[in-house]
């Protein structure tokens, strides 16, 4: 059982986040009766533990180390001007830059910023995402899209290559800043 919520930032919680001593192996079922039993079990868990947890996660997060809804809209609406700004400030020759070069530059810059507060890096990371989209568009057909996720909207870069890719660039950059830059290697398409 997963609980997805949006209260300032999107989060996904598993049952082991709010049930003491629980391991989230899920409940397996293969018949209608087993399915009904699984639903009843989860209903009992929610009644016992869920309301307090839902109250807790309904509060907006205290830290500001995440992209806000307006950041996604800014990237979607202003990606071209943000990419231009980044290219000019970093003195990048767009004639020569390849996707691998863009990823390497992003990794270096995110690594350099890991000790800084997220708020101080937010604008740079937005520009970085826009820059990546610009570089990818040199080699692949791609477009920026806003996706409605029921609780919130996110901006994604949809890439037509050998396989269709849909990347939440802000999420990728945020997780690289938070958990390590090697995850950006997956952007080498």
């Amino acid at each position: 059982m997963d609980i997805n919520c949006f209260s300032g930032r999107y989060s996904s919680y598993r049952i082991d986040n709010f049930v003491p001593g629980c391991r989230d192996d899920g409940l397996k079922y293969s018949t209608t009766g087993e399915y009904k039993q699984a639903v009843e079990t989860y209903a009992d868990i929610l009644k016992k533990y869920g309301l307090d947890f839902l109250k807790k996660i309904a509060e907006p997060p205290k830290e500001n180390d995440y992209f806000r809804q307006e950041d996604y809209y800014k990237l979607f609406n202003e990606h071209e001007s943000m990419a231009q700004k980044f290219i000019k400030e970093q003195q990048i020759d767009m004639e020569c830059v390849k996707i691998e070069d863009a990823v390497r530059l992003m990794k270096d810059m995110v690594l350099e910023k890991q000790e800084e507060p997220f708020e101080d890096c937010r604008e740079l990371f937005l520009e970085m995402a826009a820059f990546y989209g610009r570089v990818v568009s040199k080699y692949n057909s791609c477009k920026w899209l806003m996706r409605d996720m029921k609780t919130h909207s996110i901006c994604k870069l949809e890439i037509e290559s050998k396989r269709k890719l849909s990347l939440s660039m802000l999420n990728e950059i945020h997780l690289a800043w938070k958990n390590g830059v090697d995850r950006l290697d997956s952007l080498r398409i």
Side-chain angles (χ1 to χ4, degrees):
M1 177 174 63
D2 291 328
I3 295 177
N4 299 308
C5 75
F6 184 79
S7 61
R9 72 171 166 195
Y10 176 78
S11 299
S12 182
Y13 300 95
R14 294 164 32 126
I15 194 170
D16 52 340
N17 291 116
F18 62 93
V19 177
C22 179
R23 283 192 33 225
D24 185 19
D25 294 331
L27 296 174
K28 310 251 185 291
Y29 60 87
S30 57
T31 67
T32 302
E34 290 171 338
Y35 171 74
K36 287 179 181 176
Q37 181 58 49
V39 170
E40 288 174 16
T41 300
Y42 281 131
D44 291 340
I45 290 169
L46 283 175
K47 287 176 192 169
K48 186 171 182 180
Y49 301 102
L51 292 177
D52 290 336
F53 185 70
L54 289 172
K55 286 177 191 170
K56 177 182 167 191
I57 64 176
E59 294 293 320
K62 305 248 186 291
E63 72 278 1
N64 289 322
D65 72 340
Y66 61 93
F67 287 103
R68 301 176 303 247
Q69 190 79 114
E70 56 264 26
D71 295 324
Y72 291 106
Y73 280 102
K74 184 175 182 176
L75 178 59
F76 178 72
N77 292 317
E78 301 175 30
H79 60 263
E80 191 58 41
S81 61
M82 287 193 295
Q84 287 289 32
K85 182 179 181 218
F86 185 85
I87 291 164
K88 184 178 179 182
E89 287 178 355
Q90 301 302 317
Q91 300 176 348
I92 297 169
D93 180 359
M94 284 302 289
E95 295 292 320
C96 302
V97 71
K98 295 180 173 66
I99 293 173
E100 298 81 33
D101 302 324
V103 171
R104 192 175 318 108
L105 175 63
M106 290 168 56
K107 284 176 70 172
D108 290 346
M109 293 181 84
V110 170
L111 187 61
E112 187 178 296
K113 299 292 183 184
Q114 278 184 316
E115 298 302 316
E116 294 185 28
F118 183 79
E119 196 58 41
D120 295 349
C121 307
R122 179 186 307 278
E123 194 65 30
L124 174 66
F125 292 165
L126 283 162
E127 293 169 5
M128 198 179 296
F131 163 69
Y132 177 80
R134 172 65 91 71
V135 173
V136 169
S137 71
K138 284 178 45 177
Y139 303 100
N140 301 280
S141 175
C142 64
K143 59 187 170 187
W144 291 99
L145 301 171
M146 285 300 291
R147 293 281 185 206
D148 181 12
M149 308 300 286
K150 293 189 181 179
T151 57
H152 65 290
S153 296
I154 60 171
C155 181
K156 288 188 165 252
L157 180 64
E158 203 151 277
I159 304 165
E160 293 285 339
S161 63
K162 294 174 188 161
R163 61 198 203 304
K164 189 173 184 174
L165 298 171
S166 184
L167 301 172
S168 175
M169 287 305 304
L170 295 183
N171 188 49
E172 294 298 321
I173 292 169
H174 178 256
L175 290 173
W177 173 81
K178 201 167 188 161
N179 301 326
V181 297
D182 288 342
R183 76 172 290 115
L184 292 176
D185 288 333
S186 66
L187 301 179
R188 297 172 197 250
I189 55 171

